Amino acid sequence: MIHITLYDMRCEPHRVDKERNLLEVAQVIGDFRDTISITDPIITFTNEKLFKYNYVFVKELHRYYFVNDVTILANGAHMVTLHEDVLYSFKNSIKAQTAYVDRNANDYDDDLIDQKIVIEQSKQYETIALSGSPFETDDLTSSSIVLESMSDGR
Amino acid sequence: MATKITTKVEPNTLTAYNQKHCGNIALITNLARHTSDWGADAFFERLFNGDASKGIVSLTWYPLDIKYIYQTAGLLGDYEAIRLGSSTFDDDNDDPVRGWKMKRGSLAFEVGSITLQRHFNHYLDYSPYTRIKAWLPYIGYVELAPEIFYGHEIKFKYVIDFESASCTCFVENETTLLSSFNGQIGVAIPIGSSNVDQRIKSFVGGSIGYGSGAVALLSGVATANPVAIAGGVTSMINSAVGAFSNASPTLQGGDRTPLNTMVNAPQQIYLYIERPIVRDYGNPSIFGKPLSKTRVLGNLSGYTIVEDLHLENLHTDQDATDCAIQSELSEIETLLKSGVIL
């Protein structure tokens, strides 16, 4: 006999903390199906809320699981194939880890090359003229002649 | 520390005997009139005095108001009669031809400055994604690193060496000289002792070719390179020194053909900026953005991809003594490296 909490999980599977995204559907009593894997157990229980849950917590295993598949048995019981949600099951331990982080949504450095930015083969161009040039612009009227000469110094 | 261009520190090549004067185009016509008015007696007199062959060292056209920039720099001398050898020469009104005395043989002045803001505010603002080329009058196109412009006022300073008619553009910011580029700015109007020597021969032979008209004033003009005559400056100088041409049948050209083309090119500094076109900046909430730093995962939020980590001391949230097995550790590591939402 195991204690199972059925949830409607309303978030991305790869979200670590799903606390605010789990809607409890029911708490039921069930059993393991034959021998079990701790990461991919198969459980059975009787419940009328078919299609109302996609996520479960198995109290005796201390772990959360995604519902991979549900089989309706002849007696009306549900045989549910699970896969462990290691992210939520070890949420606090994961958050305590120190890691070398490649990318993040909020803490980042824009000056690093980002292959996710898609640029086109073509280019855009801008021309900026600097004002204040003393060189001739139009009619050559302000050009100059320089005469270097030798003289008697008088 | 001398990390910038500081002007006015130069050997002054000008003396009481060797001087430079600047003026407008009338200097040429007056000079032409001066020589063409020489009769044989006067010519030989000046020759034997050494005036004719040595009085005029060089005559150069520049595409800017030299008087103004010298005046601005405080290096403009008096407006005085120009002496060639031991005498002055007169204009149409029989007044001595004057010019503004230049106190230095070279001068530095600012041609433009600019501060650019970053366009993308990320790595695309830098090369090789963004490229900046600068058009420098009388030098040409040069490429500059985009990063030198961001957050700094970049100044373009020209130094003209009136001895060689060359110019150098120094690119610098508030504290540092960043780069320099060389060019040629003055158009040498050919005149020199060899020409006078030829005139001597003409005089002696009695066949001086006044009015011949078939004179190559500048290299390429009406001789080797017809393209050169397209330059406005060429035709202008040609016209202005027409009288001089007639008086000096053997004037030879200098080597300034590219410069004639430069005169027709833009006379301001232009920046020509090439930037990529971004199709999609990427959504940070979906893809994240590059961080490449070590962080405690609990201090981050949102989409996160871990490059590497050493998983340790993992226990389930429900039971602190319930440790993770190997397959769980492997899956956690795989998920963190493929991307999770914290």
Side-chain angles (χ1 to χ4, degrees):
Chain A
M1 186 180 72
I2 55 174
H3 296 82
I4 305 162
T5 305
L6 305 180
Y7 293 100
D8 175 8
M9 183 194 71
R10 298 181 171 181
C11 65
E12 309 90 336
H14 59 298
R15 182 178 290 275
V16 174
D17 190 348
K18 299 179 174 71
E19 185 174 350
R20 288 182 294 180
N21 304 97
L22 295 179
L23 179 64
E24 185 175 319
V25 175
Q27 294 193 13
V28 297
I29 302 296
D31 289 296
F32 291 120
R33 180 79 173 179
D34 301 326
T35 59
I36 65 156
S37 157
I38 193 171
T39 56
D40 298 284
I42 299 174
I43 59 174
T44 59
F45 55 87
T46 301
N47 184 263
E48 71 279 6
K49 295 191 175 181
L50 187 62
F51 308 130
K52 303 296 183 187
Y53 61 92
N54 58 5
Y55 196 82
V56 304
F57 174 68
V58 179
K59 182 179 178 183
E60 284 71 19
L61 298 180
H62 306 146
R63 283 159 170 81
Y64 292 86
Y65 294 89
F66 300 109
V67 173
N68 270 0
D69 196 14
V70 178
T71 303
I72 308 299
L73 302 179
N75 61 0
H78 296 184
M79 184 176 73
V80 182
T81 303
L82 305 176
H83 179 69
E84 183 185 357
D85 180 3
V86 291
L87 295 178
Y88 195 39
S89 298
F90 294 89
K91 164 177 60 80
N92 291 333
S93 291
I94 290 173
K95 287 184 174 180
Q97 300 296 311
T98 298
Y100 186 76
V101 178
D102 186 23
R103 303 177 70 90
N104 181 255
N106 300 300
D107 184 1
Y108 50 79
D109 183 349
D110 267 330
D111 284 339
L112 295 177
I113 294 173
D114 186 356
Q115 302 293 351
K116 293 294 183 184
I117 295 180
V118 181
I119 57 177
E120 298 180 6
Q121 184 67 31
S122 57
K123 306 283 187 181
Q124 55 181 322
Y125 301 93
E126 180 183 7
T127 303
I128 301 173
L130 276 60
S131 60
S133 170
F135 300 118
E136 288 283 6
T137 54
D138 297 317
D139 53 7
L140 303 175
T141 55
S142 62
S143 60
S144 302
I145 297 294
V146 170
L147 170 61
E148 183 173 6
S149 60
M150 297 290 290
S151 73
D152 53 10
R154 286 184 288 174
Chain B
M1 188 166 61
T3 56
K4 290 181 66 178
I5 290 300
T6 52
T7 60
K8 305 185 184 69
V9 179
E10 57 164 313
N12 190 3
T13 55
L14 302 179
T15 67
Y17 305 99
N18 177 32
Q19 300 190 340
K20 277 185 166 63
H21 291 84
C22 65
N24 57 24
I25 204 75
L27 258 182
I28 302 179
T29 52
N30 283 324
L31 191 60
R33 178 179 179 275
H34 168 60
T35 55
S36 62
D37 281 352
W38 292 347
D41 292 344
F43 185 84
F44 279 109
E45 179 188 348
R46 290 164 192 269
L47 174 67
F48 294 136
N49 288 337
D51 291 354
S53 61
K54 295 178 182 175
I56 303 171
V57 176
S58 66
L59 191 62
T60 312
W61 179 89
Y62 288 92
L64 73 165
D65 187 345
I66 293 172
K67 175 192 168 224
Y68 173 75
I69 62 170
Y70 264 78
Q71 199 167 35
T72 304
L75 292 171
L76 189 68
D78 296 333
Y79 189 59
E80 62 186 16
I82 299 172
R83 297 180 69 80
L84 298 178
S86 60
S87 63
T88 61
F89 59 103
D90 298 337
D91 60 15
D92 287 341
N93 300 319
D94 294 329
D95 294 324
V97 172
R98 297 172 185 273
W100 291 97
K101 185 175 181 180
M102 299 157 66
K103 292 183 177 179
R104 288 285 188 277
S106 67
L107 189 69
F109 54 95
E110 185 176 317
V111 175
S113 65
I114 190 169
T115 302
L116 291 181
Q117 304 301 320
R118 293 178 63 174
H119 183 78
F120 297 105
N121 285 319
H122 55 61
Y123 75 103
L124 290 180
D125 287 318
Y126 300 101
S127 61
Y129 309 98
T130 292
R131 299 176 65 191
I132 297 181
K133 289 195 292 185
W135 168 259
L136 304 176
Y138 302 96
I139 293 173
Y141 264 124
V142 299
E143 184 151 3
L144 298 167
E147 53 266 34
I148 70 172
F149 290 92
Y150 304 141
H152 294 283
E153 182 183 25
I154 297 299
K155 292 182 177 178
F156 295 86
K157 285 184 178 175
Y158 269 64
V159 176
I160 295 179
D161 175 18
F162 292 98
E163 300 292 334
S164 61
S166 64
C167 62
T168 300
C169 178
F170 293 96
V171 183
E172 64 184 29
N173 64 17
E174 299 87 345
T175 59
T176 308
L177 172 62
L178 302 168
S179 194
S180 66
F181 305 95
N182 298 319
Q184 194 72 21
I185 190 168
V187 178
I189 300 169
I191 179 170
S193 57
S194 62
N195 305 317
V196 177
D197 291 342
Q198 186 61 40
R199 287 192 61 194
I200 295 169
K201 293 176 184 175
S202 299
F203 261 101
V204 172
S207 58
I208 190 164
Y210 293 126
S212 68
V215 178
L217 275 178
L218 298 173
S219 175
V221 178
T223 55
N225 187 358
V227 176
I229 63 173
V233 61
T234 306
S235 58
M236 177 180 170
I237 294 174
N238 247 338
S239 172
V241 301
F244 199 90
S245 310
N246 294 337
S248 307
T250 57
L251 284 172
Q252 297 299 308
D255 186 18
R256 300 284 184 269
T257 303
L259 185 56
N260 294 321
T261 305
M262 279 292 197
V263 171
N264 291 315
Q267 299 294 297
Q268 292 173 281
I269 292 177
Y270 283 90
L271 296 186
Y272 187 64
I273 306 173
E274 175 186 296
R275 296 189 181 96
I277 298 173
V278 177
R279 172 72 61 83
D280 191 337
Y281 282 96
N283 187 335
S285 65
I286 296 176
F287 298 115
K289 286 190 168 186
L291 174 59
S292 295
K293 285 185 178 176
T294 300
R295 292 284 190 268
V296 175
L297 297 181
N299 293 335
L300 298 174
S301 63
Y303 185 76
T304 304
I305 295 179
V306 168
E307 176 76 22
D308 211 345
L309 82 168
H310 297 161
L311 286 173
E312 53 189 16
N313 198 25
L314 261 75
H315 297 88
T316 62
D317 291 356
Q318 301 300 316
D319 185 343
T321 64
D322 195 357
C323 58
I325 62 174
Q326 186 57 44
S327 61
E328 291 173 321
L329 292 172
S330 296
E331 184 168 357
I332 290 171
E333 184 170 345
T334 300
L335 289 170
L336 290 174
K337 289 181 176 179
S338 62
V340 300
I341 300 174
L342 290 167

